[in-house]
């Protein structure tokens, strides 16, 4: 076969395979048997083998995985990935309906209801009809580029008929119940830890660095969100468009009129739930008419035109085997229940929280007896009450722990507080947990440092405080000897730790784990105190003067900074080069953008302010006119004099695609 014929034959086979895959994976209606599919696939592989230059990114052969990645690149979402407000009962829904009507008055509108898939949201970006990027939600603004794994999802088309320069759609990646059981079976056979539920398994798989493993796990995706609100008038229309483009759209969605009809839908889906081959954790209710969206509006993280009704938490009973306390990063003691394994809300539960000693005593919960367990969605399972039967009196009453389970220091309880605390600043568990908190995404954001790793570092005396993270490099040889830590992983960790020195002061303050100082409070405080020293010297009065900061928070902050250990920690961090940068807005600095001057000109796919915010968010500056100090000119269509000037001054001119590349290249 010559190359021309090979190309023709390939196109022919590809079309067949794509069609069959669509019938099988999307329509659930195969028209050929597996053997025939395999035969054609084999032919395709043979031709591609003979003519490697004919292998294209949209070939079905590209779905099998095989690349092993070091890490995932960050991806900045063009439009924030929103979440949904929750409703837990019908009254909440009526409230939602009232709120919508209050805003739009007596305009006619419909609702669209659909199952709430219990998976992970994904954003798919097609450029000129080709799947370019699959990205996780992350914190809503910045997710991870997991394209390689997304490509292994057979129901997600690699090419679509819509050939626009940019097309984005969103949906939920999930694992079917059947596939989840299969994966766990394999894990058991290999003596590996099993996944708790399909959602965790899907999350683990989507973030699997070995794409071959991801391919084997057989993820799937329901697509429910079409960003094109210009060519579609309603959510229903936009789903039809998605279906035409061969995306897998859930068949249970439907348009209804009036909030009362939602009630019937909930009833019918509650019954159907068990028979579905995928987990759902509720129902999503959306206003159907797009023209009303802007009018109804948005909260910070959720639209006001949609709501998620969550199925009620399931309650089951099992036997309480033992009660064991654990200590958290603040020293607080939590009591936990070891249980006889029990299935609940799609998960096998073996442990649950018992909160604190008072709770156990008040409810008179006793080891050996039966207890009721509740679990809803992501929420940690909890013991809610004992089941008192004939033998209950013979069981031993519970007594609270007197000593820290880790360091045996006598536990303390402040007046009026229910919780007991370990006050030993050197308690190993507290240290490990506080480092875990410090590296977390909302804090110093150090990727790749898991609690297991921190434990290992701690056991080997490489770290005994947060600031020790910044001198890990000197233990390089010994760290490389630890299992599973290779040269590449190590250098990634060091790089991530180095980058964290540039994190925003608010995130670092949150990371320090000062009692009562959450993310939001840290941000508010940083708007008033520009440097870490100013904050360290702040008085209770100054802090209370800030709106939203009460006396408990203020005292807690002042106490924290007065503690000599913490004083040393801050000075160590500063000596290691941690900047505590505070330029009012939280940023995600990207080296390609940091301190670079950008001029934006011409017609772009989004309003200029979008790009201005994005560039500034990544650490760049935007200026009005082009000069020799300009680093980049972001030029859209019909750019005029600024473009000409940039050409004259030989300033680098980039388009949107190149801007995206700049963002993605950062980690190289
Ligand atoms: S719509 C702006 N529809 O639920 C609204 N979300 O709790 C975007 N989810 O982050 C979401 N099924 O990951 C929508 N049919 C569905 C969904 C769904 C599951 C997830 C999604 C979202 C989360 C919110």
């Amino acid at each position: 076969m010559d190359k021309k014929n090979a190309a023709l034959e390939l196109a022919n086979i590809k079309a067949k395979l794509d069609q069959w895959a669509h019938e099988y994976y999307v329509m659930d209606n195969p028209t050929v048997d597996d053997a025939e599919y395999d035969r054609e696939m084999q032919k395709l592989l043979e031709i591609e083998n003979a003519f490697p230059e004919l292998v294209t990114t949209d070939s079905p052969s590209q779905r099998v995985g095989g690349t092993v990645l070091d890490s995932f690149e960050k991806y900045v979402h063009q439009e924030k990935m929103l979440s949904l407000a929750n409703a837990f009962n019908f009254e909440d829904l009526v409230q939602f309906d009232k709120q919508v009507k209050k805003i739009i008055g007596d305009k006619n509108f419909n609702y669209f209801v659909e199952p709430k898939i219990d998976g992970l949201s994904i954003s798919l970006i097609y450029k000129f009809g080709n799947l370019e990027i699959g990205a996780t939600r992350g914190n809503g603004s910045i997710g991870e580029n997991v394209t390689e794994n997304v490509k292994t999802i057979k129901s997600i088309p690699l090419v679509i008929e819509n050939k626009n320069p940019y097309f984005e759609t969103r949906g939920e990646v999930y694992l079917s119940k059947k596939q989840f059981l299969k994966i766990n079976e394999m894990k058991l056979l290999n003596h590996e830890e099993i996944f708790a539920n399909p959602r965790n398994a899907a999350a683990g798989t989507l973030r699997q660095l070995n794409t071959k493993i991801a391919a084997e796990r057989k993820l799937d995706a329901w697509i429910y969100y079409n960003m094109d609100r210009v060519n579609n008038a309603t959510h229903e229309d936009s789903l039809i468009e998605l279906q035409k483009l061969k995306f897998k759209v859930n068949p249970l969605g439907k348009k209804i009129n009036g909030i009362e009809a939602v009630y019937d839908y909930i009833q019918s889906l509650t019954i159907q739930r068990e028979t579905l081959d995928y987990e759902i954790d509720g129902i999503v209710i959306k206003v159907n008419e797009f023209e009303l969206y802007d009018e109804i509006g948005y909260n910070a993280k959720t639209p006001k035109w949609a709501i998620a009704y969550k199925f009620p938490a399931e309650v089951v009973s099992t036997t309480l085997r033992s009660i064991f306390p654990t200590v958290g990063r603040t020293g607080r003691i939590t009591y936990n229940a070891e249980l006889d394994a029990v299935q609940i809300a799609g998960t096998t539960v073996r442990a649950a929280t018992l909160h604190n000693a008072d709770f156990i005593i008040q409810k008179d919960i006793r080891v050996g007896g039966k207890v009721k367990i509740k679990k809803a969605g992501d929420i940690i399972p909890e013991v809610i009450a004992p089941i008192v039967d004939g033998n209950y009196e013979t069981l031993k009453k519970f007594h609270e722990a007197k000593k820290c389970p880790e360091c045996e220091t006598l536990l303390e309880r402040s007046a009026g507080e229910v919780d007991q605390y370990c006050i030993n600043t050197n308690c190993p568990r507290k240290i490990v947990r506080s480092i875990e908190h410090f590296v977390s995404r909302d804090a110093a954001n150090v990727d790749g440092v898991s609690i297991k790793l921190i434990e290992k570092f701690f056991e080997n005396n490489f770290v005994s405080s947060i600031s020790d993270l910044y001198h890990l490099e000197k233990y390089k040889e010994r760290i490389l000897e630890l299992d599973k830590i290779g040269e590449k992983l190590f250098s990634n960790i060091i790089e991530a730790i180095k980058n964290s020195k540039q994190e925003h002061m608010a995130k670092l303050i949150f990371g320090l784990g000062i009692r009562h100082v959450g993310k939001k409070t840290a941000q508010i405080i940083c708007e008033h105190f520009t440097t870490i020293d100013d904050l360290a010297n702040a008085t209770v009065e100054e802090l209370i003067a800030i709106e939203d900061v009460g006396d408990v928070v203020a005292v807690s902050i002042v106490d924290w900074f007065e503690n000599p250990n913490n004083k040393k920690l801050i000075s160590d961090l500063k000596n290691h080069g941690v900047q505590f940068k505070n330029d009012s807005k939280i940023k995600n600095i990207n080296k390609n953008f940091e301190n670079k001057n950008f001029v934006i000109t011409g017609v772009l796919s989004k309003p200029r302010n979008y790009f201005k915010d994005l560039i500034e968010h990544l650490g760049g500056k935007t200026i009005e006119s082009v000069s020799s100090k300009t680093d980049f000119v972001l030029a859209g269509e019909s750019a005029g004099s600024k473009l000409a000037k940039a050409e004259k001054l030989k300033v680098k001119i980039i388009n949107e695609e190149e801007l995206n590349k700049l963002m993605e290249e950062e980690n190289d």
Side-chain angles (χ1 to χ4, degrees):
M1 199 184 319
D2 65 10
K3 190 164 156 187
K4 196 166 149 218
N5 279 332
L8 283 174
E9 181 64 8
L10 270 184
N12 185 5
I13 302 176
K14 267 192 224 170
K16 268 198 234 171
L17 289 174
D18 281 346
Q19 168 71 17
W20 293 343
H22 180 249
E23 287 165 359
Y24 185 91
Y25 293 105
V26 179
M27 310 303 288
D28 199 12
N29 181 23
T31 56
V32 294
D33 59 21
D34 292 1
E36 184 157 3
Y37 183 92
D38 290 346
R39 258 199 313 276
E40 288 297 312
M41 186 69 171
Q42 202 49 42
K43 270 200 228 161
L44 174 116
L45 291 175
E46 276 163 24
I47 303 177
E48 287 191 340
N49 226 347
F51 299 94
E53 66 275 27
L54 295 179
V55 181
T56 54
T57 49
D58 67 350
S59 167
S61 65
Q62 301 306 297
R63 290 192 185 272
V64 294
T67 0
V68 181
L69 306 168
D70 291 322
S71 62
F72 295 112
E73 288 181 355
K74 300 250 180 306
Y75 179 77
V76 180
H77 294 293
Q78 299 255 329
E79 202 177 284
K80 217 170 169 185
M81 284 186 86
L82 297 174
S83 170
L84 293 168
N86 290 324
F88 295 101
N89 48 47
F90 196 62
E91 284 85 79
D92 291 347
L93 291 176
V94 170
Q95 204 50 45
F96 161 74
D97 183 58
K98 268 196 192 145
Q99 177 69 19
V100 170
K101 287 178 178 154
K102 202 168 130 195
I103 302 172
I104 61 168
D106 54 8
K107 286 192 192 114
N108 254 336
F109 72 100
N110 295 294
Y111 283 120
F112 195 92
V113 282
E114 53 197 81
K116 184 170 182 312
I117 315 297
D118 197 9
L120 305 93
S121 38
I122 188 88
S123 183
L124 305 172
I125 289 123
Y126 291 80
K127 290 189 183 158
F128 301 102
N130 292 315
L131 175 65
E132 285 266 332
I133 289 160
T136 61
R137 178 174 187 278
N139 63 7
S141 304
I142 301 174
E144 280 177 322
N145 182 330
V146 289
T147 315
E148 293 305 315
N149 288 338
V150 166
K151 282 188 169 175
T152 69
I153 303 176
K154 302 258 181 47
S155 64
I156 294 182
L158 298 177
V159 258
I160 54 170
E161 278 302 311
N162 180 326
K163 303 295 178 199
N164 286 346
Y166 187 91
F167 175 85
E168 180 169 359
T169 184
R170 292 173 178 176
E172 199 85 351
V173 167
Y174 71 98
L175 271 168
S176 71
K177 291 178 187 168
K178 200 164 106 201
Q179 199 54 32
F180 162 70
L181 292 175
K182 261 196 196 160
I183 293 169
N184 269 355
E185 242 166 55
M186 283 305 292
K187 289 209 148 226
L188 279 175
L189 286 175
N190 293 330
H191 301 285
E192 286 170 0
E193 204 177 321
I194 59 169
F195 287 117
N197 54 40
R199 199 183 110 91
N200 284 2
T205 305
L206 196 60
R207 298 193 71 252
Q208 171 59 247
L209 289 167
N210 183 343
T211 58
K212 192 151 188 104
I213 298 184
E216 284 163 9
R217 298 251 183 94
K218 299 201 169 79
L219 289 168
D220 208 336
W222 292 112
I223 306 301
Y224 50 66
Y225 196 63
N226 186 341
M227 316 273 285
D228 181 2
R229 300 207 191 120
V230 179
N231 296 308
N232 294 297
T234 63
H235 179 58
E236 188 183 33
D237 290 347
S238 78
L239 292 181
I240 294 172
E241 189 205 356
L242 288 175
Q243 234 163 355
K244 282 194 189 137
L245 290 171
K246 302 205 167 149
F247 287 100
K248 184 163 153 172
V249 175
N250 196 290
L252 300 174
K254 67 174 187 177
K255 182 174 89 175
I256 55 162
N257 193 269
I259 200 75
E260 291 73 24
V262 176
Y263 187 72
D264 300 334
Y265 187 75
I266 293 175
Q267 301 298 316
S268 82
L269 226 59
T270 305
I271 298 166
Q272 236 178 325
R273 186 177 179 194
E274 285 306 306
T275 66
L276 299 175
D277 188 32
Y278 49 91
E279 296 276 354
I280 63 174
D281 59 344
I283 282 151
V284 182
I285 300 116
K286 300 170 185 170
V287 168
N288 195 32
E289 288 77 11
F290 283 158
E291 61 177 4
L292 299 173
Y293 279 22
D294 282 345
E295 190 180 344
I296 303 173
Y298 297 82
N299 292 318
K301 287 188 182 157
T302 57
K304 291 191 203 165
W305 41 259
I307 196 162
Y309 167 83
K310 293 290 219 41
F311 289 132
E314 221 181 297
V315 175
V316 299
S317 67
T318 185
T319 304
L320 176 61
R321 283 288 153 218
S322 71
I323 295 177
F324 61 98
T326 50
V327 55
R329 73 179 156 85
T330 58
R332 188 171 72 195
I333 301 296
T334 303
Y335 287 83
N336 309 281
E338 187 202 341
L339 307 163
D340 274 354
V342 59
Q343 270 304 113
I344 176 164
T347 317
T348 310
V349 170
R350 292 188 178 81
T353 181
L354 280 159
H355 309 286
N356 48 57
D358 278 10
F359 175 84
I360 307 171
I361 293 164
Q362 260 169 27
K363 300 248 167 175
D364 193 14
I365 294 170
R366 302 185 191 188
V367 170
K370 287 225 171 240
V371 283
K372 283 190 200 162
I373 315 291
K374 180 170 101 174
K375 181 179 187 294
D378 275 349
I379 301 164
I380 302 168
E382 52 182 334
V383 176
I384 46 176
I387 301 174
V388 180
D389 58 18
N391 292 332
Y392 211 72
E393 280 309 312
T394 62
L395 302 172
K396 264 215 314 234
K397 276 199 177 220
F398 165 80
H399 294 287
E400 69 177 23
K402 296 284 177 235
K403 290 178 180 171
C404 170
E406 295 288 334
C407 67
E408 306 212 321
T409 305
L410 280 182
L411 297 176
E412 291 195 2
R413 180 189 270 124
S414 319
E417 283 222 31
V418 283
D419 290 310
Q420 298 168 280
Y421 281 86
C422 166
I423 48 137
N424 174 11
T425 40
N426 295 319
C427 173
R429 197 70 204 154
K430 277 169 68 175
I431 295 172
V432 167
R433 286 276 179 202
S434 65
I435 299 177
E436 179 196 25
H437 174 69
F438 183 76
V439 297
S440 66
R441 185 150 66 187
D442 291 329
N445 189 21
V446 181
D447 234 8
V449 181
S450 62
I451 180 116
K452 291 239 163 71
L453 210 53
I454 299 168
E455 278 167 358
K456 273 191 192 163
F457 290 166
F458 183 82
E459 281 160 20
N460 287 281
N461 290 323
F462 304 151
V463 293
S464 60
S465 106
I466 289 170
S467 62
D468 291 342
L469 285 170
Y470 295 93
H471 72 193
L472 268 181
E473 202 152 11
K474 71 178 184 208
Y475 299 110
K476 179 170 177 181
E477 274 181 22
R478 292 185 55 201
I479 291 176
L480 291 184
E481 282 167 17
L482 298 176
D483 25 308
K484 289 195 183 156
I485 302 181
E487 189 86 41
K488 185 76 199 172
L489 177 60
F490 181 77
S491 69
N492 283 347
I493 291 174
I494 296 296
E495 185 65 21
I497 292 173
K498 199 172 112 208
N499 290 343
S500 72
K501 294 179 187 177
Q502 309 295 332
E503 274 301 346
H504 194 278
M505 174 162 138
K507 291 178 76 178
L508 298 173
I509 300 277
F510 169 64
L512 294 174
I514 304 170
R515 245 166 113 184
H516 308 298
V517 179
K519 267 184 283 183
K520 185 88 193 295
T521 307
Q523 275 177 32
I524 294 170
I525 291 167
C526 288
E527 281 164 19
H528 292 80
F529 295 91
T530 38
T531 68
I532 186 80
D533 293 335
D534 286 351
L535 179 60
N537 294 323
T539 62
V540 170
E541 290 71 31
E542 283 169 333
L543 284 159
I544 295 180
I546 303 174
E547 206 183 337
D548 293 329
V549 174
D551 47 359
V552 178
V553 179
V555 170
S556 171
I557 294 172
V558 171
D559 280 355
W560 194 92
F561 281 102
E562 271 175 6
N563 179 319
N565 290 326
N566 297 332
K567 280 195 173 134
K568 180 167 183 315
L569 172 61
I570 296 294
S571 105
D572 286 349
L573 287 173
K574 286 202 295 194
N575 288 338
H576 281 299
V578 177
Q579 304 284 309
F580 293 98
K581 281 193 173 171
N582 186 1
D583 18 29
S584 73
K585 265 197 186 158
I586 300 251
K587 292 188 173 177
N588 191 292
I589 303 295
N590 176 313
K591 275 178 279 152
N592 290 338
F593 288 74
E594 197 172 9
N595 298 324
K596 296 274 168 32
N597 292 318
F598 286 75
V599 170
I600 308 172
T601 182
V603 183
L604 297 153
S605 67
K606 290 202 161 50
R608 256 187 224 176
N609 269 347
Y610 168 85
F611 292 99
K612 185 170 182 293
D613 288 349
L614 177 67
I615 289 167
E616 287 172 3
H617 177 78
L618 295 162
K621 294 188 193 120
T622 50
I623 47 175
E624 278 310 312
S625 55
V626 180
S627 74
S628 56
K629 293 210 179 74
T630 312
D631 295 290
F632 294 100
V633 169
L634 171 64
E637 300 213 352
S638 350
S641 62
K642 288 184 188 174
L643 182 63
K645 186 152 183 209
E647 277 167 355
K648 200 167 136 211
L649 293 175
K650 299 213 162 60
V651 173
K652 194 157 173 50
I653 300 163
I654 56 169
N655 59 22
E656 281 183 42
E657 203 167 319
E658 285 158 328
L659 184 82
N660 283 335
K661 276 222 186 88
L662 271 188
M663 292 192 294
E664 286 163 17
E665 270 169 12
E666 186 217 11
N667 295 334
D668 291 351

